[in-house]
Amino acid sequence: MKDDVIKILNDYGIQPSAQRVAVAEYVLTTEEHPSADQVFAKVSSNFPMISRATIYNTLNLFVEKGLLRELHIAAGRVVFDPNLQRHHHFIDEESGEITDIHGHQLEVSNLASLKGLEISDYQVVLRGKIKKK
Amino acid sequence: MKDDVIKILNDYGIQPSAQRVAVAEYVLTTEEHPSADQVFAKVSSNFPMISRATIYNTLNLFVEKGLLRELHIAAGRVVFDPNLQRHHHFIDEESGEITDIHGHQLEVSNLASLKGLEISDYQVVLRGKIKKK
DNA sequence: GTTCGTGCAAACGGTTTGCAACAAT
DNA sequence: ATTGTTGCAAACCGTTTGCACGAAC
C-alpha cells in the first residue's frame, strides 16, 4: 500500500517524502472530495506533526504534477479529486456533499455545435437532493 | 431604464434604494460575469460614494431574493449571473473569461438514469480555448 | 555541503460583520 | 419613532509566502 503510493509519486515525478506519502495515501483512495482542511484533519490524525502549510504545498504540487484535480464547484472552498477520468459531480444541496457521477452515466451532446471553441474538458455539475424513500 | 429596474426590484421584494438601483442597472444588463470587485469598480464609476460592503450586501441580497445567481466555477472568485434560465458556461483557459452557452445548444441526456437523486438544477461547465482562425 | 522539503508565523485577498450614522416613512 | 440601509473599519477564513531549520544524498 505504502509502496504502491511511493511508486505512483515517483511516476509523477514527485519525491516521496513521508508527509507526501501520508497525504497521497489518503487523498488517492478517498471517495470524498476533501478540502485542504479536511485533508489536514484526516492526515494529521495518523501523522500528528504535519503542518497546514505542508498540506497546501503538497496538494498544490500534486495538482501541478497532474496527480490530482482541483474542483471549484462548491461555495467557499476548493476541493481535490483523485479521479482523473472524465466524470461529473452531484452536489447535495443540504449537506454540501459531492458525489461522482461516472462519465458514462450522462451524455452531453451537441458539443460539436460549439464552433470556434476548442473544448479541452467539460463536466456536468448537478445540484439537488437525495431522495429518501 | 431606471424605472424598469425599480419595478424589477419591487417585484422581487427588494426595496429600491439608490445604491441598489445602481448595482442592478449594471449587473442585470451586463454580458460579463462580474465578481463583486468588478461590480464595485463599474458601479462606483458612476456612483463614487458607494462602499464595498454595500456592494457585497446588495449582491447577496439579490441572490437571496432570486434576482441573481452566484456561480462558483472559476478559481478564487465568486461571480454573479443575471441569467436565470438553464444555461451552461464556457471558461476560456487563457483569459479566465466566462461565456454563456445557451441551454438549447447543448443537451444532457440520461438524467433520468440517476435514480435516487432529485435534480433541481444542472449546468455544463466547459473549459478550453477560443479557436483563432 | 548543497539541495530539497518542512514548519512556523506572518501576510494576503476576498468576504463578512458590528456598529454608529443616516434616510425614509 | 421605528424600521431599514449605508459606510467604515475591524474581523474573519482559507490560502500563500518568507525564512530558518532539518533531512537526504
Side-chain angles (χ1 to χ4, degrees):
Chain A
M1 162 98 207
K2 194 161 285 187
D3 291 352
D4 297 352
V5 168
I6 290 175
K7 183 170 183 327
I8 294 171
L9 293 182
N10 279 322
D11 288 351
Y12 278 86
I14 299 164
Q15 290 219 24
S17 72
Q19 287 87 337
R20 288 172 182 177
V21 170
V23 171
E25 275 188 306
Y26 165 60
V27 87
L28 293 183
T29 58
T30 183
E31 294 284 297
E32 311 169 82
H33 294 74
S35 66
D37 231 56
Q38 283 170 269
V39 176
F40 175 68
K42 281 280 178 171
V43 171
S44 56
S45 73
N46 350 332
F47 201 126
M49 65 295 295
I50 199 168
S51 82
R52 251 192 190 76
T54 297
I55 297 287
Y56 278 98
N57 291 337
T58 301
L59 291 170
N60 289 340
L61 177 68
F62 287 3
V63 170
E64 226 169 82
K65 295 293 189 176
L67 181 57
L68 287 182
R69 280 229 165 93
E70 271 183 12
L71 300 181
H72 304 270
I73 59 183
R77 64 190 216 273
V78 176
V79 303
F80 296 89
D81 191 341
N83 183 347
L84 301 177
Q85 299 176 33
R86 166 128 56 230
H87 65 289
H88 311 293
H89 291 100
F90 170 76
I91 305 174
D92 184 337
E93 283 176 331
E94 283 164 2
S95 69
E97 221 170 282
I98 300 170
T99 317
D100 280 357
I101 307 291
H102 296 285
H104 60 263
Q105 287 182 263
L106 285 182
E107 195 185 344
V108 178
S109 40
N110 281 338
L111 277 172
S113 76
L114 305 170
K115 309 271 186 240
L117 301 182
E118 214 173 300
I119 306 298
S120 61
D121 190 35
Y122 66 89
Q123 70 159 313
V124 182
V125 179
L126 306 130
R127 278 160 217 278
K129 295 190 292 189
I130 296 175
K131 276 183 200 154
K132 341 189 192 297
K133 39 164 108 71
Chain B
M1 162 99 208
K2 193 158 286 187
D3 291 352
D4 296 354
V5 169
I6 290 175
K7 184 172 182 323
I8 294 171
L9 293 182
N10 279 322
D11 287 352
Y12 278 85
I14 300 164
Q15 291 216 27
S17 72
Q19 287 88 335
R20 288 171 182 176
V21 170
V23 170
E25 275 187 305
Y26 165 60
V27 88
L28 292 183
T29 58
T30 182
E31 293 285 295
E32 310 169 83
H33 295 74
S35 66
D37 233 54
Q38 284 171 266
V39 176
F40 175 67
K42 282 279 179 172
V43 172
S44 55
S45 73
N46 354 332
F47 200 124
M49 63 297 295
I50 198 169
S51 83
R52 250 191 191 74
T54 298
I55 296 286
Y56 279 98
N57 291 337
T58 301
L59 291 170
N60 289 340
L61 177 69
F62 286 4
V63 169
E64 225 170 82
K65 295 294 190 177
L67 180 57
L68 285 183
R69 279 225 163 92
E70 269 183 12
L71 300 181
H72 305 269
I73 60 183
R77 64 190 218 275
V78 177
V79 303
F80 296 89
D81 191 342
N83 183 348
L84 300 177
Q85 300 178 32
R86 167 126 59 230
H87 66 289
H88 312 295
H89 290 101
F90 169 78
I91 304 174
D92 183 337
E93 283 175 332
E94 283 164 4
S95 69
E97 221 170 281
I98 300 169
T99 317
D100 280 358
I101 307 289
H102 296 286
H104 55 81
Q105 288 182 263
L106 286 181
E107 195 185 343
V108 178
S109 40
N110 281 338
L111 276 171
S113 76
L114 304 171
K115 310 268 187 244
L117 301 183
E118 216 173 298
I119 306 298
S120 62
D121 189 35
Y122 66 90
Q123 70 159 314
V124 183
V125 179
L126 307 130
R127 278 161 220 277
K129 295 189 291 189
I130 296 175
K131 274 183 203 156
K132 341 189 194 292
K133 38 165 103 83

